[in-house]
Amino acid sequence: MRRYFGRKLLVYGLTFFVAVTINWMVPRFMPGDPVSSMVARTGASNPAAAETMRVYYTGLFGLDQPIWQQYFNFWATLFQGDFGISIWAFPTPVSEIILGAVPYTLALMIPAILLSWVVGNWFGAYAARRKALDNAVLPIGYILTAMPYMWLAVLLAWGLGVVAGLFPVAGGYSFSTRPNWSWDFFLDLLHHWTLPFASLFLAALGGWAIGMRNMIIYELESDYSNYLSALGAPQRLIRRYAFRNAVLPQITGLALQLGVLVAGALVTEIVFSYPGLGSLILKAIQNQDFFLLQGTFLFIVLGVLIANFIIDIVYVVVDPRTRAGMAGAQA
Amino acid sequence: GEPTPNTQNTQAGNPSAVNPANPNSLPRHETLYTSGTQWGPPANFNAIREWDYATGTEGLVYESLFHFDPNTSKLVPWLAQSGSWIDDKTYEIKLRPGVTWSDGKPFTAKDVVFTLELGKMETVPYHNIWEWIEKAEAVDDQTVKVTFSTANYQEWDFQLYGRAIVPQHIWQGRSEQEVLDGKNENPVGTGAYTYMSHDQDRVVWQRRDDWWGKTALKMEPKPKYIVDIVNSSNEVAMGLLLQKGMDLSNNFLPGAANLVKGNFGISTYYPEPPYMLSANTAFLVLNTTKKPMDDPAFRKALASSINTKQIVEGVYGNLVKPASPTGLLPQWEQFIDQSVVSQSGFTYDVAKAKKLLADAGYRDRDGDGLVENKDGSKINLNIIVPSGWTDWMEAIRVISASAKEAGISVTPDFPDFNALVDKRSKGDFDMLINNERQLSNSPWTYYDYMFQLPIQKTQNTVNFGRYENKELWKLVQQLDQVKTDDVEGMKKVISEIQKTHLEELPIIPLWYNGLWSQVSNTTWKNWPSSVGNAPKTAPTMWRNWMELGGFETLTQLQPNAS
Amino acid sequence: MTALQEVPAQDAQAPAVVRREALHFALRNGKLVTGLAIVLFLLLLGLLGPVLIGGTPNAYGTRPMQPPSGEHWFGTTTFGQDVFTQFVHGLRTTFAVGALGGGIAAVIGMLVGFVAGYRGGLIDEALNMFTNIVLVIPTLAVLLIINAYLGVRSVGAQALFIGLTSWPWAARAIRAQTFSLRTRDFVDLARLSGANTWKIITREIAPNMSSYLFMTFILLFGGSILIASSLDFIGLGPTEGISLGLMLQNANQWSAMQLGLWWWFIPPGAGITAVVGALYVANVGLDEVFNPKLRET
Amino acid sequence: MLKLDNVTKVYRVGAFGGKTLTAVGDVSFDVRPGEVVSLIGESGSGKSTIGKMILGLTPVTGGSITLDGVPVAPGKEYYRHVQGVFQDPFSCYNPVFKADRVFQMIKEAYYPGVSAKDWAVRVNAAVRDVRLDPDQVLGRYPHQLSGGQLQRLLIARALLLDLKLLIADEITSMLDASTRIDVLNLLAELKERGLGVLYVTHDLSLGTYLAERTVVLRHGRVVEMGETDKVFGNPLHPYTRQLLAAVPRLHASWEEAEPVTDCPYHRGEASGGLFEAEEGHFVACARLESCPE
Amino acid sequence: MSLRVSDLKVYYKTLKGQVKALDGVSFEVGDREILGLAGESGCGKTTLGKSLIRMDGRMRHIGGTVELDGEEMPIGDDRRMNAFRFHEVSLIPQYSMSALNPTRKIGKMVAELLHSRGVALDAGKLRGRLDAVGLPHEVLDRYPIELSGGMKQRVVMVVSTLLDPSLLIADEITSALDVSTQKAVAGALAAFRDDGLVKSMIFVTHDLSLTYQIADTIMVMYAGKLAEKAPAKEIVEAPRHPYTRLLINSLPEVGVRYADRKLTGIAGSPPSLLNPPKGCRFRDRCPLAFAQCEQEPPVVEVAPNHSVACWKA
Ligand SMILES: Nc1ncnc2c1ncn2[C@@H]1O[C@H](COP(=O)(O)OP(=O)(O)OP(=O)(O)O)[C@@H](O)[C@H]1O
Ligand SMILES: Nc1ncnc2c1ncn2[C@@H]1O[C@H](COP(=O)(O)OP(=O)(O)OP(=O)(O)O)[C@@H](O)[C@H]1O
Ligand SMILES: [Mg+2]
Ligand SMILES: [Mg+2]
């Protein structure tokens, strides 16, 4: 057990290290200097003033230090929770911007991921080996998984937003309100949340349903199912067992899919200009704000890692096989 | 209840039960929703950061001594009651009495001097005025006297209306870093609005009912609240506009022509092409240090090969106008010397381009339909615009195609913005498009942008093409020192500049970018328009445009009762 | 990207029988036939369409914003570009990205999967860790950064990026399969016949799971198309030419939705959905053909 | 010819190889040309592991294995002389290819120069040697052939080489009684041709049918070994007796053998030499006077 | 008579046609009797076992009846068969190693299984049975993965016989085991019968010598038909069917050596069951075959409890 988690932690630690390093490295070795574009944007017409500003900002972002020093500084400040200052929203600290966006992303992602997983699995399990239902669930599932995230989002926005006018198609809450603890504001939030959520939920739903259906069919054909049938156990029990076992790979599947879902949330947020991390990433890219980019990226890596870790733990708890495996290879 | 407040509260006279000082829901009929200026979260309210302060920081909160009316080309007294040159090197400003800061303190000449002297800090963007200003002093509470070492009249006028005055009693003692990088939350200004709240995606301004202009200028901006929405994208802006969630969109909305023509309740300044006022000129910048762009003949041939019409019609759907060969904006029409233009100007003419090339010795030697350098080496030019700037990306595709017709090989390329800036400032490019100079009080700002010398190692904001012509630069400096009321004097110098410009053509004007502005009449009416006696001010909230008429537009709005 | 999770090792009992039966079931499998028919139709359209229709997809026309008509089957864009012309050209790009990206991912996935599964031990541990790292890093984010900063904007480069990042799940699945195959005696027998690792992998193990590999490739193919369309959509697509994702991006950027130009954004999305969906459906069909357990009795 | 000297195999098991498992410990015996040695033991006693080590399919942890005095070096040359046939004939063939691909692989590796025609002649000869009709078995898929046929084809494959030693690992346990005996007879004929055969089985009756000498294995260690007649005629070790008793016989019902007592040798823990109880009959057992217990 | 099978025909539906895996088999199994079922691979042993408890999707009940304790079992009707399963007929499958749900503790699984069949769990009885096969009670609290193969096999044996079925079918449960384990498992099975936990048993294997050890009666099948059925001792000592004889002759005994006595196998291979030849199916391989073998030999009781299907018997 210890060893298992030790190894997992090692992998996660390494992943984190590599991801953060890549993410630190990439912008720094790319062409173009963020400071000069920043200076260019200030429109300082006087060359001398521009030069002073350049020196000033280079110092401010620590870009005048040797590259290895920058790298160490980066880690050092990172552990102090300091992600640097955003260029795009200068002079707001990156952490502040991210913290402002995270609640939106989480509010979108967590329900979408969990609900689509639960509902999808339920549908898939229910449809497996039931001909009529199967024939309905499968095609719908496939269409949903094959749809590009943003197209589904665009369709929803167009159909339910622009044409039907039922839902707003932009923003996290109305521009005429300001955040407060009132029922109206909550409804307003919900109203804006519905379409992005629906598009994420629907897009992920099909995959889970199909995956579950296939797994369940496999389980229903397995030896233990046959044995139970031979002993006359009712379908209900057999299905229940099959479901339980089929859900396990789906849990791993969830871990595998997290990255993809994060990406999906990104384009969805962009379509609905929902104020989450996805929009931030796009902005950071468009504005060459690599401190912000690093921050958001780091946050996502952390989120995915933590989620994966939780999934790993859950998996160990629910699947006795992994536990036995951890004790050593000998059964 | 109904959670879309767009439709809520529209019945007039709703006493709006919420506390007006801290309303959770702004009454629609008293609120103006705008967008198109702010591309990032409103991160600072620092009037010194004139490139990225939250929309309205200058104009709504901080004000300048004068405004400038592009229609009459005159300075309009604002915080200053008047200003005049008492001799060739001394300017005296008389301030308006009775103006107070929003914290109740009186506005005095000390504030003006303080603001000018802030520029002595090296990193303050107007630091360079101290190269030609000798001193600024407060003669009394209402009088400021500025003494010049070199009287740059044109540039001084630009400062007079462009510089936001900050309160000395608050800014005093701020370090250089704070002045440059401070957020300046809860800004205290003399303007008609105060800060109310902001979030990632918006900033909200609230009208000041004790604003001095109400009596002194007989002006009152009508919206009680102004919400500036952060741009996420053009399409979102268009969506909001169509859903009546926005009143004034200063975004570039592709297809705006259709909005105007269709029955959407959306209008623009002109009801027909080009729909928008012109705001700046898009130039094709040539790197004159490289072959063959160092050859005026080649540059002129290139200019003749560009099918600007197709850009205007195809890419922009007539939302823009082709530029005059001089590049001067329509507002400066009087300064364009038509005789020079007719003699040395250029138009799209493939045959002429070919002839110019042939005459200058650029011939197609290998029969690939593309000309080679005089020494026989291949010509292979790149033209760059930032990746993601869709309209420009389309535009350079057109340029590339039409240049090819004339036999010039031009390949469009779309580097990242950062990379482009890097190349641009280092002079590591062939051609690019740039429009960073806006309309101003004087064509001098344009010529300064085009021909400024000396060339630095990095050219960050001006003369990207590194065109070195000392004579021409002398003329530009000479123009700066012509008094702004001496129109004839200005014309004379400008005509000379134009002659050289068109003969040498180191930078090719292409089209006038519009003062993008789409308005909805649902909540507010009487928007500026070319039609009838509607106001003729600039319908915009763009930074640095509030003083060019943007603020006046707000004062002319009327609530739409229906 | 979904259906093929780590399905427990396939019953490779006598695939030759399976193969013989395969054709029989393949021809009778509605899913496979329909899926393949759609894919083939679209592929042909993508291959032949541009040749037959001719013209450049981005050429400006004289009649902007026209709804579908006899002249412009799918209508025109804001610039008067013919949406149908763009569509067929875009299909071609889309298939190219799918084939290339999916191909690269399949090659890497197979390489890693085979080597890890066959060699086992430390090599397996190392490759596993590597796979995990690539898996956990949100690839789109990495793609975003790399793409944005490198400024490489060609279909090939895009496919390369996609290929380089989307292989991990395939590697895992193949590794599991290889793991179960490598203990089969015929692998030992091949070694006794003097075959080296490479030969064993390519000539013994791979042919044995050819149907599985093929299905993996199909899923990677579809996945690549989807990722590419996302990239195109957020402005990281190829700068030259046209793809279905770029069409969507253009439609979105030029406010087709708000202006009611539905014919501009419906076809590209429907095209992607049709290609990927048909591939997936064909894949289920294949799965049923090769895996009798899934067949409906 | 083949000689095992204190051969040991330790597997690393568990995550990151945290634990070890001694599958084979200190095993020494030899196989001479023209001799069948049977290796007998229950499941998990390390029989296959020994076979794999000899075949070079798994590395040796300790001790040495030599062929004609030369340490084994798995590779083309070695496999020219030493080949194996495994328990499950069905899994020995790659099911997607025709069965005669096993011959083709030999040709590719060892006889690339031989013409297709000559090769066909040789294959036919080898197939006839194992008493199969080439017309019936060649050109077919594995699933179209019976286990016995497949097993014999594998032997034919080995015969194509210049074979000295054949490792036959439980080659009959998956076969029907009637086919089984055919395969056993075939092994016996090979022996007569001068080949050495290591015959691995858990069924003593099969071992005695063929083997000159027998090695009884338990928990990876040799408990008794020697000439087959002596080992079975006079089983000294209780474990051997127990194994013998467990063999189902046709005409006699199962007899009860004394249970194996808890002696370190039986548990496979202690290492130590074998005692030569009589000439050519070695045993490791507590019951012997010489036993330390 | 515990089990009476008359003229049972079960075919497999395949693409190429029907595989006549069980083509008219009749036999009886008495109370407290263990019937050993032997025969070459593919002769229909598993098919017979499955027919008696649960047919898979491809099997078709073509004809014949099965009576258990005087009651006819609706073997072709999956639904109605359910009443018999577990209670009356039970099975120890060949795949015992994987027959237990890997994610349920064994005790819990047993409880749920019993509950679903409407039987209250008798904990004492369960423990008693575990003791009988030598399993510690803790196994109930373990997951299958935590048990060795032999333990799992014994757990399955206990579970399958928990309701004291009248008939127990054990299909090749020993063929993957080494001789000593075989002996232990077979012993446990015999003990079930001896203790009266099951009334009768069908023990399927291809190993005649093993069957001989525990079966009372041995039935030899050949190509979907019964070849010979007789008490164990009789069939081994005085086989009447040439196939049985050849089969027995091919079995090496301990001590028999190649050098001394060369055993022989049966030449040829069994016919395809897709289109089995008319007449005696062993004809082609039979050394005694003669003209009459063109007709199908009837099953004749040549001695008490000894039936043979051969013209020469
Ligand atoms: N690759 C391996 N890794 C770890 N342990 C192994 C490995 N192969 C075999 N073992 C272990 O080594 C021991 C001996 O295995 P081996 O296969 O040699 O036994 P065997 O006598 O051939 O048994 P059987 O009769 O079942 O084939 C067993 O405990 C087995 O679990
Ligand atoms: N699912 C199936 N579909 C078609 N034919 C089948 C199927 N299962 C078995 N058969 C055929 O039915 C016949 C009898 O098979 P069965 O499994 O009953 O034989 P068996 O005596 O149990 O053989 P073994 O000793 O190999 O287990 C064989 O010829 C076999 O090929
Ligand atoms: Mg073995
Ligand atoms: Mg069977």
Side-chain angles (χ1 to χ4, degrees), chain A residues 330, chain D residues 11-13 21 23 42-49 87 170:
Chain A
Q330 236 32 47
Chain D
Y11 281 115
R12 299 205 147 271
V13 294
L21 173 97
E42 63 187 3
S43 182
S45 57
K47 308 181 296 287
S48 299
T49 305
Q87 174 170 20
E170 311 234 25

Side-chain angles (χ1 to χ4, degrees), chain B residues 394 397, chain C residues 56-61 79 81 85-86 239-242 250:
Chain B
E394 289 297 328
R397 286 195 179 109
Chain C
T56 40
N58 290 326
Y60 290 0
F79 312 114
Q81 297 154 325
T85 312
Q86 292 201 328
T239 33
E240 282 292 301
I242 191 77
N250 280 334

Side-chain angles (χ1 to χ4, degrees), chain D residues 198-217:
Chain D
L198 181 67
Y199 178 65
V200 174
T201 182
H202 61 78
D203 187 337
L204 283 94
S205 56
L206 303 180
T208 48
Y209 182 66
L210 288 176
E212 271 77 28
R213 286 188 300 140
T214 298
V215 179
V216 182
L217 220 54

Side-chain angles (χ1 to χ4, degrees), chain C residues 12-17 19-20 125 129 184-186 188-194 199 203-205 207-208, chain D residues 16 52 55-57 79 83-84 86 88 91-97 101-102 105 108-110 141 143 154 157:
Chain C
Q13 267 210 339
V17 197
R19 220 169 26 175
R20 184 110 348 143
E125 292 278 355
M129 199 170 277
R184 299 270 165 97
D185 289 340
F186 64 77
D188 278 342
L189 203 73
R191 286 172 71 184
L192 290 187
S193 305
K199 212 165 166 183
R203 305 211 14 208
E204 303 289 332
I205 294 181
N208 235 289
Chain D
F16 272 141
K52 288 209 161 133
L55 286 170
L57 295 177
Y79 292 138
Q83 280 291 334
F86 305 115
D88 181 356
S91 97
C92 281
Y93 289 82
N94 198 334
V96 295
F97 298 116
R101 201 173 90 113
V102 295
M105 288 195 307
E108 273 171 32
Y110 294 98
Y141 282 97
H143 71 274
L154 286 179
R157 165 189 168 278

Side-chain angles (χ1 to χ4, degrees), chain A residues 255-323:
Chain A
L256 277 173
Q257 287 281 293
L258 268 181
V260 177
L261 289 169
V262 168
L266 201 141
V267 285
T268 307
E269 282 179 11
I270 290 167
V271 171
F272 292 101
S273 51
Y274 203 71
L277 284 178
S279 310
L280 272 193
I281 290 184
L282 189 71
K283 288 284 175 276
I285 286 169
Q286 285 171 345
N287 295 279
Q288 287 73 40
D289 185 348
F290 65 67
F291 298 102
L292 180 57
L293 202 57
Q294 271 169 200
T296 43
F297 183 68
L298 198 76
F299 200 88
I300 290 179
V301 169
L302 256 160
V304 173
L305 283 179
I306 291 173
N308 265 280
F309 196 71
I310 293 175
I311 287 171
D312 273 341
I313 292 175
V314 169
Y315 199 83
V316 170
V317 171
V318 292
D319 190 351
R321 282 168 292 193
T322 40
R323 261 174 287 158

